[in-house]
Amino acid sequence: MWRTCLRLRDGGRRLLNRPRGGLIASEGRGPSPPTPARAYAPPAERKRFYQNVSITQGEGGFEINLDHRKLKTPQAKLFTVPSEALAVAVATEWDSQQDTIKPYTMHLTTLCNTSLDNPTQRDKGQLIRAALKFLDTDTVCYRVEEPETLVELQRNEWDPVIAWAERRYGVEISSSTSILGPSIPARTREALVSHLASYNMWALQGIEFVVTQLKSMVLTLGLIDLYLTVERAVLLSRLEEEYQMQKWGSIEWAHDYELRELRARTAAGALFVHLCSESTTVKHKLLQG
């Protein structure tokens, strides 16, 4: 997980139009959230204005310092995280910026801002329902009827993950070729609600973030439970797309860029969940630029 944290700087630019004139987290105004709003959108690039990044422990948790300025959220709240390990991961994002600050590569910072400000004012139950909503359209539960080679590929690659989830959580998850999707038993929903309720609000923000990347509750559970690696989870979420590209070809640079970006976002979300779910102490608090 820590090696993943140190590689987050390689995430790449998001394929979307970012709001212009936005301010970084240490300045009080935030950009307009996407629709439907789940998290802050990264603000625009700007020149790096600090030399050193450090971590201090305050009354509310661990704080990030850019030189002698304390980092703040878009709503001008003090940027405070619950664990030292998460603080180190966020500080690494800021320390990794070169001459230009590129917020769209700083997924952990964005997730922390969302958790601290809660811009959509959702409670724990709403976060759980938002994540479970993807179960109705879960990537691994929708199957094709043809061609046979893709049918077999989906069966061979997705069925073992579903079988694992059924054993792990004591639930029933079916697949379907119908446009209406599979029928998810009420007991399955209740069991997964109970499982997700064991996470705190911060971790749930990360879980929902991962679910939106993979378009799959099942793959997200496999990733968070360490049954799947980031690379494997991303590949399984893009199985049909990868099949079509192998058959018909692709624009190489665009494919590689999109894949790398999806891996970076998924890795950041999974790391965020784990760092928000564990109490981890590290020895070195000061990161020199």
Side-chain angles (χ1 to χ4, degrees):
M1 277 293 182
W2 285 103
R3 289 194 295 272
T4 302
C5 171
L6 296 176
R7 292 199 299 269
L8 290 176
R9 68 188 71 179
D10 298 323
R13 186 183 301 270
R14 288 183 181 274
L15 299 177
L16 50 80
N17 294 321
R18 296 182 308 281
R20 306 306 298 174
L23 300 176
I24 65 168
S26 59
E27 300 174 299
R29 201 176 73 203
S32 299
T35 302
R38 289 194 178 92
Y40 283 122
E45 295 181 8
R46 65 166 296 173
K47 182 178 176 61
R48 177 167 172 161
F49 59 90
Y50 56 91
Q51 293 296 320
N52 300 317
V53 183
S54 62
I55 300 167
T56 54
Q57 186 171 8
E59 292 183 1
F62 294 88
E63 304 165 2
I64 310 297
N65 307 300
L66 307 179
D67 292 333
H68 300 294
R69 303 173 62 180
K70 289 188 179 296
L71 191 62
K72 293 186 178 180
T73 71
Q75 291 185 12
K77 296 178 182 177
L78 182 63
F79 190 102
T80 306
V81 299
S83 76
E84 189 177 13
L86 180 56
V88 169
V90 171
T92 299
E93 287 189 329
W94 286 89
D95 196 50
S96 299
Q97 303 302 302
Q98 302 301 313
D99 294 336
T100 301
I101 301 172
K102 300 179 178 180
Y104 47 81
T105 67
M106 302 167 72
H107 306 302
L108 293 175
T109 298
T110 300
L111 283 166
C112 288
N113 280 332
T114 302
S115 297
L116 287 165
D117 285 348
N118 192 13
T120 55
Q121 296 299 304
R122 292 184 296 173
D123 59 26
K124 189 171 185 177
Q126 290 172 312
L127 282 173
I128 291 173
R129 288 193 294 273
L132 275 182
K133 185 177 180 181
F134 281 84
L135 193 60
D136 294 319
T137 57
D138 200 291
T139 295
V140 302
C141 295
Y142 272 82
R143 305 297 175 89
V144 298
E145 294 181 309
E146 58 180 17
E148 183 57 36
T149 51
L150 181 55
V151 172
E152 183 178 3
L153 181 64
Q154 291 179 338
R155 183 169 57 245
N156 292 340
E157 298 294 335
W158 287 346
D159 281 2
V161 183
I162 290 178
W164 167 83
E166 290 180 326
R167 293 192 305 270
R168 168 68 177 82
Y169 302 105
V171 297
E172 179 184 344
I173 302 172
S174 59
S175 60
S176 173
T177 59
S178 169
I179 193 172
L180 299 178
S183 175
I184 306 297
R187 286 180 298 177
T188 294
R189 296 183 190 278
E190 292 168 2
L192 294 181
V193 165
S194 177
H195 173 72
L196 292 177
S198 67
Y199 289 93
N200 60 46
M201 283 282 290
W202 284 59
L204 286 172
Q205 292 280 7
I207 289 173
E208 189 201 6
F209 181 77
V210 176
V211 172
T212 60
Q213 307 310 312
L214 301 177
K215 305 296 186 292
S216 171
M217 187 73 241
V218 176
L219 293 178
T220 296
L221 291 171
L223 176 61
I224 300 303
D225 246 6
L226 304 182
Y227 173 73
L228 299 172
T229 64
V230 169
E231 292 78 10
R232 182 70 175 156
V234 168
L235 176 62
L236 291 175
S237 76
R238 293 166 49 90
L239 195 63
E240 184 173 355
E241 189 174 354
E242 294 291 333
Y243 172 86
Q244 297 295 346
M245 284 189 291
Q246 288 181 14
K247 185 175 182 179
W248 304 108
S250 64
I251 302 175
E252 185 174 352
W253 68 267
H255 169 263
D256 292 345
Y257 184 90
E258 182 182 355
L259 183 60
R260 186 177 68 173
E261 172 68 0
L262 180 55
R263 285 175 177 170
R265 292 195 302 268
T266 302
L271 179 62
F272 184 81
V273 173
H274 283 280
L275 295 183
C276 292
S277 304
E278 301 173 358
S279 178
T280 306
T281 301
V282 295
K283 294 181 180 179
H284 303 291
K285 296 184 179 180
L286 187 62
L287 300 176
Q288 295 294 338

